[in-house]
Amino acid sequence: MYTLEEIAALRQKCETLHLEGREILDNYSDAELQKICNGIGPRGVPLFLRKALNRLHPALEPAALIHDVDFEESDGTEENFIRANDRFFTNGSLGALNYAWYDPRRYAALFQAYRLSMLCRHFGIFCWHLGALRNGTVNSGKE
């Protein structure tokens, strides 16, 4: 989905915007992030739709980068699932602030950051659990 140059640019945007949780990216090379990150939308969504979402909301791509890594490192707990989706909204809101207050894209990006974080919260638990199963960090929540 992303070239190495695009990953490097997104990583830099995360730093420039001081996005929450950006330090998680330090655990990965650009090549590893290239394999993990799929843009806005879950991996199961067709590529052409994810590319369209990315073109419509480029301000949200850095937030999606961190969100994808959060899901990659999933421990399967509901608490961290909610935290990851809330962080997407927070970071997406920071990305939206790149647009001037009078630019309608600012408000469209803010709305989409909220909308996408709520969609993830309501429908993303399956992907969250898949991530935990894939990396062997399934947590039953009974500890």
Side-chain angles (χ1 to χ4, degrees), residues 23-143:
E23 54 281 339
I24 199 172
L25 303 176
D26 295 339
N27 299 328
Y28 299 90
S29 69
D30 289 348
E32 289 170 321
L33 288 174
Q34 186 181 34
K35 292 176 186 170
I36 294 169
C37 299
N38 60 297
I40 300 170
R43 196 162 271 139
V45 170
L47 181 61
F48 77 93
L49 285 177
R50 283 184 278 129
K51 284 185 175 185
L53 284 170
N54 290 341
R55 280 192 301 275
L56 281 172
H57 304 293
L60 302 182
E61 283 185 281
L65 181 74
I66 293 170
H67 193 256
D68 286 346
V69 175
D70 280 339
F71 269 62
E72 179 70 17
E73 293 189 359
S74 168
D75 64 1
T77 65
E78 184 177 350
E79 178 184 351
N80 286 332
F81 173 69
I82 291 169
R83 184 176 294 126
N85 293 316
D86 287 350
R87 182 177 4 237
F88 178 83
F89 173 66
T90 299
N91 288 339
S93 298
L94 289 170
L97 296 178
N98 275 332
Y99 299 120
W101 68 267
Y102 53 82
D103 189 334
R105 293 177 298 175
R106 180 181 206 163
Y107 305 101
L110 283 168
F111 175 72
Q112 288 304 326
Y114 175 76
R115 186 175 179 192
L116 291 168
S117 70
M118 288 297 108
L119 282 169
C120 285
R121 184 178 283 195
H122 292 292
F123 302 107
I125 195 73
F126 178 74
C127 293
W128 181 255
H129 288 304
L130 277 179
L133 286 170
R134 186 175 50 250
N135 65 36
T137 58
V138 176
N139 184 329
S140 66
K142 296 180 182 176
E143 299 162 67

Side-chain angles (χ1 to χ4, degrees), residues 12 20 95 115:
Q12 183 57 47
E20 182 181 307
R115 186 175 179 192

